Amino acid sequence: MKDNFKYKNWDLQNYIDLERKAKNLTENDLENVSGGIMNRKLAASVLIGLSVLTASNNLAKANENTPLVATTSQSEVKNQNVNFEITREQAIEDINYVLQVIKDRHASSVEKLPNEVVNQAKIEIENLKDKVNVIDELRIVCRIFAKLCDEHSMVYLPRCIIGRLPFDTEMRGDKLVCANGDFKDYEIVSVNDISVQDLYQNFKNNFGYEIEEFAHFMFLENPTGLSGGTLAVAGIDVLKPLKITFRKGEITQSSDFNLGHLSSGHSDYSWIKYEIDEQQSTGIFTLNECTLNDEYRDTVNKFFTEVKNKNLKNIVIDLRNNNGGDSKVINEFAAYIKNLPTTIKGFRSYTRENDKLVYNDGIYKLTKEDVKLRNSLPLYDGNIYILTSHATFSSGMWFATVFSDNNLAKIVGEVPGCSPTAFGNVTEIYTTPNAKLMFNTSFEKFYRPDETKDGKKLIPDVQVPAKDALNKVYEIIYEEKNYSHLETKHFDVIYPKGSEEQCEKALKELEESYDKVTSDLKARVDKKTKIKLFKTKDDFHKSIGCYGTDYANWVNGTGNDGFIKT
């Protein structure tokens, strides 16, 4: 099946809006279960232990000293004139307002504000001019927020600076290239005579990120990375025409552009869908938003019903364009997995409640009700692969992490765009008193379910560029179907199924000669030597990237997987 993966266009603020969809439940719909809060209406149909629910809108109650949300309407803020100026004193009042909200609401600030945040605020105040406009304050507050290293705490961009250039961009090697339009295939050298490299560095200084992969995606890999929002954060005046300089070979050319409408994605964009590849015995489930509704539940049920009826051996969960939302989608999907452990490791968390942090161990044990429910479902017991990219964010990253840490799936692709151990779950929107900037902050700190694994990044089991992830899964499926694995004291061998006798004989001879060879060479190998034997010449050529060439049968090489190809 052909993989037509493309990054969807990202609006910097859409992912927070998605998570807010989960916050519309009333107090009467909620009940305490196993240290967490869940929707009573879903109690009999979801497994709550996999994730801490984003519907927990009553967990982060404001401290009595927290300043009230400004009464300015959001429509008024979005349509404000960003050229109007406030005084230095008013800007200081706004900065102190932001600090007070962080102090009273953010999960890192129960005892005091982080030193990095305080020091950055001091620097900003020292460098203030007598007059400050809205965009200036936007960058100031963004730099303060950046010190939280929290991708969920964010400053909302004034709508008048949200727009896009009339072409998409993409990374080709280390160059940012125009992907379509009049300057298709030209390298983008600079914006307003500031190099792309310098702009990216400015963006990182002003943008709150947990891992650089996400900052890199937002500015360079995202098809609309050079948008009004990212460029404004990077220091560009986006209210005037932008001078873009292009280069192709010896030709360098500049042209002026105005920002246009920022589309939400491709015209064929679908937030949820699935495909069945009977030839490869594989079902591909694509989820671009974590939205728990009847459409999601029905699609998941139809998918697993078809997988069972057709006796498929593999499923692929494509999260490469998933920018988060409601983490309860994980529970709904996991209910269909036959080998789900009876004790499930979910995200541990500390939730801020006024001036204390409340701990949730994230552990859930299946109940009799869970077992009864699962017995009525078309359970699946085959291989599970999850595709990720730098754009896989928030609940999308959670999906992959929960399945990985409970040994339910193999992750293929790129490191997701946020850390498994990080802040999350956001407050209501606050508005600064004078410049009317909107922002929110995180009231919860989450910890990766498997404490033995890296909390900073979810490292895929197989790392490949996102665009190659599905093809890589098909390679893995082919190898698992046609090849076996054998280890001896000094060798690690993959060989074609049906050739066990020949392989074991060859390994015996290799082991018998190993000590003599290493002794004669006066060398020792610290790791096992990996060897891969191929079933056909085509398999060999595919492995070294030369399929379809006229290379002779004796050609040898070493592939990216570390195996000696023979």
Side-chain angles (χ1 to χ4, degrees), residues 298-329:
D298 291 344
T299 305
V300 171
N301 184 267
K302 289 177 182 177
F303 173 69
F304 279 107
T305 299
E306 195 163 350
V307 165
K308 184 172 184 177
N309 290 342
K310 294 182 177 179
N311 194 29
L312 301 185
K313 305 301 182 185
N314 311 283
I315 65 171
V316 177
I317 308 168
D318 189 350
L319 303 176
R320 288 175 293 179
N321 266 320
N322 191 300
N323 57 348
D326 190 340
S327 59
K328 295 191 298 298
V329 299

Side-chain angles (χ1 to χ4, degrees), residues 101-304:
V101 173
I102 294 173
K103 172 64 178 69
D104 289 341
R105 304 302 301 275
H106 197 270
S108 70
S109 306
V110 171
E111 296 182 359
K112 65 174 185 175
L113 282 166
N115 291 334
E116 297 83 355
V117 172
V118 174
N119 292 337
Q120 186 63 42
K122 289 179 179 178
I123 292 172
E124 300 299 342
I125 290 173
E126 289 173 0
N127 293 324
L128 278 175
K129 300 176 182 178
D130 291 335
K131 295 289 185 179
V132 177
N133 66 32
V134 174
I135 303 300
D136 291 334
E137 182 165 302
L138 169 72
R139 296 183 187 119
I140 289 169
V141 177
C142 282
R143 285 192 290 269
I144 293 172
F145 266 67
K147 297 303 178 181
L148 290 169
C149 297
D150 174 5
E151 291 174 1
H152 283 78
S153 291
M154 65 171 293
V155 185
Y156 279 67
L157 304 173
R159 289 295 174 183
C160 56
I161 69 169
I162 294 179
R164 62 161 298 170
L165 293 167
F167 52 81
D168 290 339
T169 60
E170 64 184 25
M171 288 298 292
R172 297 181 188 173
D174 61 351
K175 293 179 171 58
L176 184 66
V177 175
C178 181
N180 47 38
D182 294 339
F183 291 91
K184 183 180 179 180
D185 298 328
Y186 278 70
E187 178 188 358
I188 300 171
V189 178
S190 64
V191 180
N192 289 358
D193 297 321
I194 303 175
S195 72
V196 169
Q197 292 77 13
D198 287 343
L199 284 173
Y200 176 51
Q201 188 59 51
N202 292 344
F203 176 75
K204 289 196 296 179
N205 292 339
N206 297 347
F207 178 68
Y209 60 91
E210 295 156 7
I211 56 175
E212 186 166 347
E213 284 86 348
F214 186 62
H216 192 270
F217 166 75
M218 289 302 299
F219 196 82
L220 296 171
E221 297 174 59
N222 182 3
T224 55
L226 296 186
S227 65
T230 54
L231 289 172
V233 171
I236 295 293
D237 182 355
V238 298
L239 299 179
K240 299 177 181 178
L242 303 175
K243 176 187 174 185
I244 312 294
T245 301
F246 302 89
R247 180 169 59 209
K248 189 175 185 180
E250 300 298 320
I251 301 173
T252 299
Q253 189 173 346
S254 297
S255 186
D256 290 344
F257 296 90
N258 291 307
L259 294 175
H261 175 64
L262 181 63
S263 66
S264 59
H266 302 286
S267 58
D268 60 349
Y269 170 76
S270 175
W271 75 275
I272 184 172
K273 63 181 180 180
Y274 71 84
E275 302 172 79
I276 300 297
D277 186 349
E278 289 191 73
Q279 184 176 358
Q280 299 296 331
S281 190
T282 300
I284 303 170
F285 186 90
T286 300
L287 185 65
N288 293 327
E289 298 174 7
C290 292
T291 300
L292 184 65
N293 57 18
D294 288 341
E295 182 181 1
Y296 177 78
R297 296 187 186 92
D298 291 344
T299 305
V300 171
N301 184 267
K302 289 177 182 177
F303 173 69
F304 279 107

